[in-house]
């Protein structure tokens, strides 16, 4: 059977229908601008990535570091320091418990801080993440472009090189950086010690802070344990170098050996003030100005305030004090504080000698048993006689103590004069004030003084300066246990004006600003300066600031002394005179001052004052004006009367102190006397 042939079919072709051609052409034209823009965006991001990538990476690294710093907020360091303090306090449950509480408190605060900071971070991150996610989800070209450029630009901005000025900014020479010298923790402090040459780099690991660095008043403090075998004095003697390494003023540094119960010979206490002059420039009035009286045995001398605001007193019983420094920095103010405190104790006997006449010590004439002013040969001899009289008086008390100790040793168990014995024997403490010491010694050096040991002869005698120095030193030695004290003041702290013999017997020494460490040693001694006492580091603006070496284990302190003007000091001296009149202890020079050959007795003086006021037809008068009225009324009695004499005599006559008079003689409110006041004293 024949096979049938296949059926013929039309031939297939690949040519599309005519209608499809225009559709394909239009789609290509529509996609071309989009591809061009996308390529441009990709090229822009690629160029930005290549150019800014190093800065961007550095910027994000810096942002991460800042975030971590703020996240931790120094809490790990505080916790570590507190834990170390707990370990250091082993054997002391009270101290260890205190630091344990602080460590627990720091941990609680740290946990709370992290929660708050993570919450703030999340609040800031959500909008950014949402914007980026929205752009990625919608495929928005412009959002992708902005997100990429923004991310790169943000990192590059924070990672830019800040050391190079930009084209828009003028070239500026940057100030010397100070951040490197700031103390942020124990490591920085030890680095400062290395740079100051106090310790070596090899000793870094052997040096550490005991406890933590903590605020203390207007500054901060740290207790530093030095390497084994290193003495505290080796560190304190380089306080000025430490100030340089820390980039602070030398006056801001206080460095001393740790004399506390927990301290030892290789431990120092450092205090650094926040400001160059932590003592301030405002004068602080002395509380003695308003005090009625004072027990010198019990309270000593209210002296001043330290840089942290603490009050200090000067305990002067059983010792003498040497006071030096440059002129006009406060020596007279401190000396007046000591003398004013003595004036307000009516049982103290005060002797005053000054090598230069002037107004500083005139007020002491009201109550001083002895008063010598000047440096003529006659005055030098009078001062020498005064010293010998004081030595004889001190030795007399010593003999009485010796006799008492044989019969009743329990009444003087320490071999010293006691307040009870002083009351029984009707004698109190004795203070010798010697001002302008350099003037007295210079004048004495030009003359010879005969002593009891010198053989008889016309021109025989010894150098007056040597004699005075030896006699003053002898007074200090024999008076120490019998209630005698010396206050020696010099304006020129050098080897000639501060003899070593006198300095060494003065247990306490005080020094205001001087020019160099050598002058500091002249006044305070080598040991005190080696222990960190540094009046030569005081600033010119720190007038009234004194470095006081207390002569014992307590070491030295730096204080701003209280302030007292000469008129205020004079008022206290007049108050001291009245206290002695009431107690029956006004003796010697003061008992005769203002009376002999000058004015009549108190009742007659009051009558003359009332008559003089009546003649002028006034009911009040300033002191100066009242003196003029009395001189006009009775020139035979009052032609030589002075204001201080009149005030002293009126106080003795129970008229009291001057009073505020209100507007008078063109003045707003001067001091003086009223007729009512004088009449009341006269009993009229």
């Amino acid at each position: 059977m024949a096979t049938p042939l296949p059926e013929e079919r039309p031939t297939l072709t690949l040519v599309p229908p005519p209608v499809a051609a225009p559709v394909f052409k239009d789609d290509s034209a529509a996609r071309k601008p989009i591809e061009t823009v996308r390529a441009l965006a990709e090229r822009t991001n690629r160029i930005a990535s290549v150019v800014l990538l190093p800065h961007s990476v550095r910027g994000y690294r810096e942002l991460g570091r800042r975030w971590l710093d703020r996240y931790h907020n120094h809490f790990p360091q505080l916790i570590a320091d507190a834990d170390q303090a707990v370990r250091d306090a082993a054997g002391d449950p009270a101290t260890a418990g205190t630091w344990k509480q602080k460590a627990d408190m720091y941990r609680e605060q740290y946990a709370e801080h992290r929660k708050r900071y993570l919450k703030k971070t999340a609040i800031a991150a959500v909008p950014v993440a949402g914007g980026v996610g929205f752009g990625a989800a919608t495929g928005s070209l412009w959002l992708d472009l902005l997100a990429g450029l923004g991310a790169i630009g943000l990192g590059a901005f924070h990672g830019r090189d800040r050391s190079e000025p930009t084209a828009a900014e003028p070239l500026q020479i940057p100030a010397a950086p100070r951040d490197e010298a700031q103390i942020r923790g124990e490591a920085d402090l030890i680095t400062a010690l290395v740079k100051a040459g106090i310790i070596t780099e090899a000793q870094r690991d052997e040096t550490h802070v005991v406890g933590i660095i903590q605020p203390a008043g207007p500054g901060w403090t740290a207790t530093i344990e030095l390497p084994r075998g290193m003495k505290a004095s080796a560190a304190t003697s380089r306080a000025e170098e430490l100030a340089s390494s820390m980039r602070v003023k030398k006056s801001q540094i206080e460095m001393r050996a740790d004399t506390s119960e927990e301290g030892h010979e290789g431990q120092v206490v450092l205090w650094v003030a926040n400001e160059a002059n932590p003592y301030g420039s405002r004068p602080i009035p002395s509380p003695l100005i308003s005090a009625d009286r004072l027990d010198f045995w019990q309270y000593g001398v209210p002296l001043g305030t330290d840089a942290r605001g603490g009050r200090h007193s000067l305990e002067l019983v059983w010792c003498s004090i040497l006071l030096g420094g440059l002129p006009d920095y406060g020596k007279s103010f401190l000396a007046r504080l000591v003398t004013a405190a003595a004036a307000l104790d009516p049982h103290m006997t005060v002797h005053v000698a000054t090598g230069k006449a002037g107004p500083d010590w005139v007020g002491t004439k009201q109550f001083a048993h002895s008063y010598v002013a000047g440096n003529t040969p006659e005055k030098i001899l009078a001062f020498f006689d005064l010293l010998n009289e004081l030595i004889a008086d001190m030795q007399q008390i010593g003999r009485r103590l010796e006799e008492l100790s044989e019969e009743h040793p329990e009444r003087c168990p320490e071999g010293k004069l006691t307040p009870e014995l002083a009351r029984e024997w009707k004698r109190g403490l004795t203070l010798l004030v010697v001002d302008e010491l350099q003037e007295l010694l210079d004048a004495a050096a030009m003359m010879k003084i005969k002593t009891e040991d010198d053989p008889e002869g016309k021109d025989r005698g010894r150098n007056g300066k040597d004699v005075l120095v030896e006699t003053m030193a002898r007074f200090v030695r024999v008076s120490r246990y019998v209630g005698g004290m010396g206050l020696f003041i010099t304006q020129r702290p050098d080897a000639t004006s501060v003899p070593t013999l006198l300095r060494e017997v003065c247990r306490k020494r005080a020094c205001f600003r001087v020019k160099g460490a050598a002058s500091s040693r002249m006044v305070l001694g080598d040991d005190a300066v080696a222990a960190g006492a540094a009046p030569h580091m005081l600033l010119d603006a720190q007038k009234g600031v004194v470095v006081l070496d207390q002569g014992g284990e307590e070491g030295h302190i730096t204080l701003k002394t209280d302030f007292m003007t000469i008129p205020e000091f004079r008022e206290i001296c007049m108050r001291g005179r009245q206290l002695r009149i009431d107690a029956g202890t006004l003796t010697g020079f003061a008992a005769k001052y203002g009376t002999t050959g000058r004015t009549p007795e108190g009742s007659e003086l009051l009558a003359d004052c009332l008559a003089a006021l009546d003649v002028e037809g006034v009911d009040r008068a300033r002191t100066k004006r009242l003196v003029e009225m009395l001189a006009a009324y009775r020139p035979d009695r009052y032609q030589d009367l002075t204001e201080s004499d009149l005030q002293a005599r009126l106080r003795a006559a129970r008229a009291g102190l001057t009073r505020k008079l209100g507007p008078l003689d063109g003045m707003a409110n001067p001091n003086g006397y009223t007729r009512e006041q004088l009449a009341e004293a006269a009993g009229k």
Side-chain angles (χ1 to χ4, degrees):
M1 180 175 176
T3 303
L5 295 173
E7 182 179 356
E8 294 184 0
R9 298 180 180 274
T11 304
L12 295 177
T13 179
L14 296 178
V15 179
V19 71
V23 174
F24 176 81
K25 183 178 180 180
D26 290 344
D27 182 66
S28 299
R31 285 198 302 267
K32 186 173 182 180
I34 298 175
E35 292 176 352
T36 302
V37 173
R38 188 179 300 277
L40 179 61
E42 292 175 354
R43 187 161 51 253
T44 301
N45 278 335
R46 188 163 52 252
I47 293 173
S49 300
V50 172
V51 174
L52 301 178
L53 183 60
H55 297 286
S56 184
V57 172
R58 186 165 58 246
Y60 278 109
R61 187 166 59 245
E62 176 67 17
L63 287 173
R65 185 191 64 78
R66 294 180 192 173
W67 188 90
L68 285 175
D69 285 346
R70 294 169 183 171
Y71 176 74
H72 295 302
N73 197 27
H74 304 293
F75 277 107
Q77 177 184 335
L78 292 173
I79 294 171
D81 289 341
D83 288 340
Q84 180 63 42
V86 174
R87 290 190 290 272
D88 293 339
D92 185 353
T95 304
T98 300
W99 285 112
K100 179 64 169 60
Q101 291 178 355
K102 288 188 177 182
D104 294 341
M105 178 187 69
Y106 289 148
R107 287 187 173 90
E108 294 176 1
Q109 293 177 350
Y110 186 27
E112 184 64 25
H113 170 75
R114 284 182 296 178
K115 291 179 182 178
R116 290 198 305 267
Y117 196 72
L118 288 174
K119 183 177 180 180
K120 291 180 180 179
T121 303
I123 293 174
V126 166
V128 176
V132 174
F134 177 76
T138 59
S140 173
L141 172 64
W142 296 109
L143 285 178
D144 291 343
L145 177 61
L146 291 175
L149 291 176
I152 295 173
L154 178 65
F157 175 78
H158 288 283
R160 70 191 186 278
D161 189 355
R162 293 176 171 84
S163 63
E164 298 179 359
T166 62
E169 296 176 344
L171 182 62
Q172 296 180 352
I173 299 176
R178 298 191 63 175
D179 287 347
E180 295 179 0
Q182 290 182 354
I183 303 301
R184 301 183 180 87
E186 180 176 354
D188 290 338
L189 179 54
I190 295 177
T191 298
L193 296 175
V194 173
K195 291 183 179 296
I198 295 175
I199 62 172
T200 64
E201 184 66 39
Q203 294 174 313
R204 178 187 289 271
D205 293 339
E206 299 180 60
T207 310
H208 70 274
V209 174
V210 179
I212 63 174
I213 300 174
Q214 55 188 327
W220 55 268
T221 186
T223 300
I224 306 166
E225 188 169 60
L226 300 170
R228 292 182 181 274
M230 184 176 182
K231 296 186 296 184
S233 58
T236 56
S237 63
R238 300 188 64 83
E240 191 168 1
E241 288 81 358
L242 180 60
S244 175
S245 71
M246 295 173 62
R247 293 295 187 263
V248 298
K249 293 283 189 182
K250 57 186 179 181
S251 60
Q252 293 177 244
I253 295 284
E254 285 187 9
M255 198 174 187
R256 58 178 176 80
D258 186 0
T259 57
S260 65
E261 293 183 1
E262 297 79 15
H264 55 76
E265 297 302 320
Q267 200 159 285
V268 296
V269 177
L270 172 68
W271 184 79
V272 182
N274 295 331
E275 300 179 359
N277 186 9
Y279 304 95
S281 57
R282 183 179 60 86
I284 302 173
S286 170
L288 295 172
I289 297 173
S290 58
D292 294 330
R293 60 187 299 158
L294 181 138
D295 187 342
F296 206 95
W297 285 94
Q298 183 175 358
Y299 297 106
V301 183
L303 196 59
T305 308
D306 61 26
R308 311 181 205 189
R311 291 287 306 174
H312 292 265
S313 295
L314 173 64
E315 300 296 335
L316 203 55
V317 181
W318 316 130
C319 60
S320 294
I321 182 171
L322 175 67
L323 174 58
L326 292 174
D328 301 325
Y329 280 91
K331 295 184 304 301
S332 297
F333 291 107
L334 191 152
R336 280 200 288 267
L337 292 174
V338 175
T339 311
L344 293 175
D345 187 335
H347 300 288
M348 281 196 72
T349 303
V350 179
H351 305 266
V352 177
T354 174
K356 185 171 63 179
D360 286 349
W361 299 104
V362 171
T364 61
K365 293 181 180 181
Q366 303 289 342
F367 70 94
H369 182 86
S370 304
Y371 184 86
V372 179
N375 58 4
T376 62
E378 294 77 14
K379 298 294 184 180
I380 297 297
L381 292 175
F383 177 48
F384 178 61
D385 291 340
L386 169 60
L387 290 172
N388 285 325
E389 291 174 6
L390 286 172
I391 291 172
D393 185 42
M394 297 294 103
Q395 288 180 325
Q396 182 183 3
I397 301 176
R399 284 192 293 269
R400 295 186 68 175
L401 286 173
E402 180 181 352
E403 295 171 359
L404 181 65
S405 64
E406 291 179 347
E407 300 176 2
H408 304 285
E410 71 281 357
R411 299 194 62 190
C412 50
E414 298 180 4
K416 299 179 181 180
L417 180 70
T418 64
E420 294 75 20
L421 289 175
R423 285 194 297 268
E424 180 181 332
W425 295 346
K426 291 183 170 49
R427 66 163 306 136
L429 300 169
T430 301
L431 173 66
L432 169 64
V433 179
V434 182
D435 194 13
E436 302 292 350
L437 178 62
Q438 76 284 348
E439 298 293 335
L440 291 170
L441 296 182
D442 287 349
M446 296 186 290
M447 59 185 293
K448 291 186 180 297
I449 299 178
K450 286 185 64 63
T451 64
E452 295 179 356
D453 299 333
D454 294 333
E456 293 295 332
K458 181 178 180 181
D459 297 324
R460 295 300 182 92
R462 297 176 55 206
N463 180 278
K465 177 180 177 180
D466 295 339
V467 173
L468 284 188
V469 171
E470 292 174 6
T471 309
M472 285 187 288
R474 187 183 175 202
F475 162 75
V476 172
R477 289 195 299 267
V478 303
S479 65
R480 180 177 179 184
Y481 294 110
V482 293
M485 298 161 281
L487 169 60
F488 305 95
I489 310 122
T490 179
Q491 287 194 5
R492 201 173 64 229
D494 54 34
T496 59
S497 62
V498 187
T500 304
L501 178 62
L502 179 59
R503 183 192 67 200
E504 292 304 314
V505 295
C506 293
R507 180 183 174 189
K508 298 197 175 186
R509 304 155 193 172
C511 189
F512 288 82
R513 184 174 183 264
V514 291
K515 291 185 177 179
S519 296
S520 296
R521 287 190 287 269
M522 287 293 176
V523 180
L524 300 178
D526 295 339
D527 293 340
V529 175
H536 56 283
M537 292 173 60
L538 296 173
L539 301 178
D540 183 69
Q542 292 178 318
K543 294 187 177 182
V545 177
V546 64
V547 179
L548 173 64
D549 179 25
Q550 303 178 88
E553 292 185 356
E554 59 268 41
H556 68 275
I557 53 175
T558 304
L559 304 172
K560 173 102 178 251
T561 56
D562 295 336
F563 184 76
M564 180 187 297
T565 64
I566 291 179
E568 290 168 339
F569 176 63
R570 186 167 171 273
E571 287 293 326
I572 293 175
C573 291
M574 296 180 70
R575 205 179 309 154
R577 179 185 181 89
Q578 188 62 50
L579 288 171
R580 283 163 175 77
I581 292 173
D582 296 341
T585 56
L586 187 68
T587 58
F589 179 90
K592 301 177 183 178
Y593 178 68
T595 59
T596 304
R598 292 185 179 236
T599 57
E601 295 301 322
S603 59
E604 192 172 357
L605 173 62
L606 290 171
D608 288 343
C609 287
L610 292 171
L613 290 173
D614 293 339
V615 169
E616 295 292 330
V618 295
D619 63 349
R620 52 186 174 152
R622 293 183 294 118
T623 307
K624 181 179 180 180
R625 179 63 181 138
L626 185 55
V627 169
E628 295 171 352
M629 292 179 184
L630 288 170
Y633 177 67
R634 291 294 302 268
D636 58 323
R637 291 181 177 178
Y638 303 108
Q639 61 180 352
D640 296 328
L641 184 66
T642 65
E643 293 182 52
S644 60
D645 293 341
L646 176 60
Q647 289 180 331
R649 291 299 298 144
L650 288 176
R651 285 179 62 85
R654 310 286 182 170
L657 298 171
T658 58
R659 299 179 181 179
K660 294 295 184 181
L661 303 177
L664 183 67
D665 296 342
M667 300 181 182
N669 195 17
N671 290 327
Y673 297 91
T674 66
R675 192 184 193 288
E676 180 184 2
Q677 172 187 2
L678 299 172
E680 182 179 353
K684 296 182 180 180

